[in-house]
């Protein structure tokens, strides 16, 4: 029986990356930990990498130094958050991260929406915010409204149509420039 992390890794390797409503190349590696592997012992792959929050917390300085020492050759750094991770733990680290990904372990799991909204509205994160995992075309409109601007999704490019499925929304959005954009108090 495959572990949940291995299944997630296989699924994410097949997904397309939609960034700001366009399909783009996805050169990022997603680091997952095998069961029983301590975060401090994780082997970092070469290139752009998304690491779990636990690895970030255990190896923050190694990861930042790795990014600084690459001379612009492509060791961008990002983290991915599980639904149970607290995004407030990143409050002092946001400028060090190129991407923050939020994992949706199952369709209908809404915890990632709260994480995104907290990152955008409360912490003021302006970098790339990516939805990964069980992300389906029916949710892209709503994910974008809470602040996601990148999505790893299975399917063909017709999924781009789903951003405009609804022409009216009842709640404020975190999308700057939208007439419904909420104003920070």
């Amino acid at each position: 029986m495959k572990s949940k992390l291995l299944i997630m890794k296989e699924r994410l390797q097949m997904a397309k990356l939609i960034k700001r409503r366009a399909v783009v190349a996805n050169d990022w590696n997603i680091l997952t930990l095998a069961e029983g592997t301590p975060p401090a012992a994780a082997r970092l792959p070469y290139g752009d990498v998304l690491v779990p929050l636990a690895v970030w917390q255990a190896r923050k300085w190694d990861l930042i130094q790795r990014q600084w020492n690459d001379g612009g050759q492509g060791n961008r750094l990002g983290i991915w958050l599980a639904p149970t991770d607290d995004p407030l733990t990143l409050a002092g680290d946001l400028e060090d991260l190129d991407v923050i990904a939020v994992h949706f372990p199952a369709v209908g799991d809404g915890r990632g929406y709260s994480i995104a909204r907290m990152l955008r509205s409360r912490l003021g994160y302006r970098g790339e915010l990516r939805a990964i995992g069980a992300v389906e075309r029916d949710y892209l409109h709503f994910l974008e409204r809470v602040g996601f601007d990148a999505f790893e999704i299975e399917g063909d490019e017709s999924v781009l149509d789903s951003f405009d499925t609804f022409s009216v929304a009842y709640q404020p959005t975190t999308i700057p420039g939208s007439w419904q954009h909420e104003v920070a108090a």
Side-chain angles (χ1 to χ4, degrees):
M1 181 176 194
K2 293 181 181 178
S3 73
K4 287 181 180 177
L5 291 178
L6 184 58
I7 292 169
M8 179 180 130
K9 184 176 182 179
E10 290 175 355
R11 181 183 169 119
L12 294 176
Q13 288 175 341
M14 297 184 303
K16 292 181 172 49
L17 179 61
I18 298 172
K19 188 173 177 180
R20 294 187 180 89
R21 294 187 174 206
V23 177
V24 298
N26 185 4
D27 300 326
W28 288 79
N29 296 298
I30 298 178
L31 179 69
T32 56
L33 295 175
E35 285 186 36
T37 302
R43 292 187 62 192
L44 301 174
Y46 179 77
D48 302 337
V49 64
L50 292 165
V51 300
L53 178 62
V55 172
W56 170 253
Q57 291 171 329
R59 302 198 47 197
K60 178 179 175 178
W61 298 115
D62 292 339
L63 290 162
I64 290 173
Q65 188 173 28
R66 176 179 177 262
Q67 188 179 29
W68 286 348
N69 292 337
D70 83 339
Q73 299 301 311
N75 276 323
R76 291 180 294 173
L77 176 61
I79 67 155
W80 64 267
L81 299 172
T84 55
D85 291 335
D86 182 359
L88 295 178
T89 62
L90 297 173
D93 301 330
L94 296 176
E95 292 185 19
D96 294 318
L97 303 170
D98 296 301
V99 175
I100 297 176
V102 179
H103 182 239
F104 289 83
V107 173
D109 187 324
R111 295 174 287 180
Y113 289 87
S114 300
I115 290 172
R117 185 155 186 99
M118 192 173 297
L119 285 166
R120 292 289 195 210
S121 298
R122 197 173 202 184
L123 299 178
Y125 179 66
R126 296 289 171 239
E128 180 181 322
L129 186 56
R130 185 180 302 186
I132 61 173
V135 178
E136 295 190 354
R137 65 173 292 138
D138 293 344
Y139 300 101
L140 294 182
H141 172 82
F142 303 108
L143 290 166
E144 185 180 55
R145 290 190 57 81
V146 296
F148 287 100
D149 57 0
F151 314 87
E152 289 191 3
I153 188 167
E154 294 179 36
D156 59 31
E157 294 182 23
S158 68
V159 299
L160 296 174
D161 297 339
S162 63
F163 285 106
D164 299 318
T165 301
F166 303 100
S167 59
V168 176
Y170 298 108
Q171 298 85 21
T173 180
T174 60
I175 303 170
S178 169
W179 68 272
Q180 292 179 313
H181 184 239
E182 61 187 344
V183 178

